[in-house]
Amino acid sequence: MRLLKISALLLLIAFMAAPAAAESWPHERDGFVIGFNVGGGGAKAKPVEGQESDGGGGFGGFRVGWALSNQFLLGFESGAWVGKAENELGIDGDLTLSSYLLNFTWYPAAKGWFIRAGFGGGSSEYSTKINGLEVSVEDNGGAFGFGAGHEWRLTRKFALGVAVDYCTLDLDVDDFDFWGFSAQFNWYF
């Protein structure tokens, strides 16, 4: 719950502070890009046909890429959701969902709005303690993600933004979906 409050505060700060400096710098994308995002989100697991579970948790990611033009960016993006989960036996534990995507971002008007999509790999890790013994289960497979948002250029090289992202994991044993609302911080070099 505390992480969700911090995420909401970050988003509120982004919405309030960014428009004040939004038009001070043009949106120029040419070359190397690096950034990260933090926020809150949710996840849904479908471990057994007809059985579903979901919950809230922390959401974040890291991106690195190359601006092909002022409207198109090609990059690598990793995303993660971390939260509490209950397994099929009713045992509480920690769940981490991760994705590693080759991402394509489009800025339709070469300004602040963007849409992104990517594909690649993903994983899940569930860990808990049973009678004092640490038990951990991992699963790997494919991933597909997409998102949208807006960024405000606050300096010539830095942009602050807000985004909503969604990722689906098609893993060997279980399938998961996770999503998040986040503040994002990008540097354009």
Side-chain angles (χ1 to χ4, degrees):
M1 187 67 177
R2 181 172 182 232
L3 186 58
L4 289 175
K5 288 179 182 178
I6 292 170
S7 299
L9 179 61
L10 284 173
L11 289 173
L12 179 63
I13 290 169
F15 274 121
M16 291 173 54
E23 298 303 319
S24 299
W25 304 97
H27 285 277
E28 295 174 351
R29 295 173 193 90
D30 182 22
F32 183 70
V33 179
I34 189 168
F36 69 94
N37 54 304
V38 293
K44 178 178 271 192
K46 297 182 183 181
V48 178
E49 188 66 34
Q51 179 184 12
E52 295 184 2
S53 61
D54 57 62
F59 176 80
F62 174 78
R63 73 187 56 78
V64 61
W66 191 263
L68 304 173
S69 73
N70 205 30
Q71 286 186 282
F72 300 103
L73 185 122
L74 181 63
F76 168 78
E77 186 158 344
S78 67
W81 177 88
V82 179
K84 298 287 185 187
E86 185 178 286
N87 69 8
E88 293 88 3
L89 302 174
I91 301 170
D92 288 331
D94 297 318
L95 178 63
T96 301
L97 304 175
S98 304
S99 64
Y100 318 97
L101 308 175
L102 177 63
N103 241 21
F104 184 76
T105 304
W106 176 46
Y107 298 86
K111 300 251 181 190
W113 291 103
F114 63 86
I115 301 168
R116 61 179 163 228
F119 63 93
S123 64
S124 70
E125 180 181 357
Y126 176 80
S127 61
T128 190
K129 282 191 176 185
I130 300 175
N131 295 329
L133 178 66
E134 182 76 26
V135 178
S136 181
V137 178
E138 293 183 30
D139 195 8
N140 297 297
F144 172 76
F146 59 91
H150 189 277
E151 66 178 21
W152 296 272
R153 190 61 68 102
L154 299 183
T155 71
R156 186 171 305 283
K157 302 290 184 185
F158 174 72
L160 175 65
V162 292
V164 58
D165 290 288
Y166 181 87
C167 188
T168 185
L169 304 176
D170 183 15
L171 306 179
D172 294 334
V173 177
D174 296 329
D175 293 335
F176 292 93
D177 296 326
F178 68 94
W179 55 91
F181 302 96
S182 62
Q184 64 175 24
F185 308 85
N186 294 319
W187 289 264
Y188 296 88
F189 300 98

